Amino acid sequence: MDIRSSAAAVQGYTNARSAARPEPTGASPESGFARMAREFTDTLKAGEETTKQAMVGKADPHALVQALAQTELAVETAVTVRNKVVEAYQEILRMPV
């Protein structure tokens, strides 16, 4: 295992640990949705950067696979949240007035 794959593993662990830690209410001026959107964008950018590095031979395959898995998970989560929002909106529309 070289230094790049070790760094990728540490980054993945850090991301997972921060996602599992509850954030105190009112601790951040950023709203929950804005924070999630920023983290989603950061995950996509990190995946793209790792992919670019792998194309020129600067990233090992393990780091590339891990970055792609994190990106896939982020996209699947975003799609699931979007689907839930659409379902809730449709339920509101079906309510009798």
Side-chain angles (χ1 to χ4, degrees):
M1 183 184 273
D2 68 1
I3 191 71
R4 282 182 241 130
S5 61
S6 296
V10 168
Q11 180 65 33
Y13 173 73
T14 303
N15 290 343
R17 186 178 57 169
S18 66
R21 181 180 7 165
E23 189 171 313
T25 306
S28 173
E30 190 175 39
S31 71
F33 182 75
R35 181 178 47 81
M36 287 185 339
R38 182 183 42 80
E39 289 174 0
F40 174 75
T41 305
D42 292 344
T43 301
L44 292 182
K45 285 181 184 178
E48 288 176 358
E49 187 60 36
T50 303
T51 303
K52 289 177 189 176
Q53 290 176 359
M55 286 183 186
V56 294
K58 293 184 179 178
D60 64 315
H62 177 73
L64 176 62
V65 169
Q66 187 173 15
L68 292 176
Q70 288 177 345
T71 302
E72 181 182 13
L73 181 62
V75 170
E76 287 176 358
T77 303
V79 168
T80 301
V81 169
R82 179 196 62 93
N83 289 344
K84 291 292 184 181
V85 168
V86 168
E87 285 176 24
Y89 179 72
Q90 289 173 342
E91 283 294 318
I92 290 170
L93 289 179
R94 280 186 235 140
M95 287 182 180
V97 180

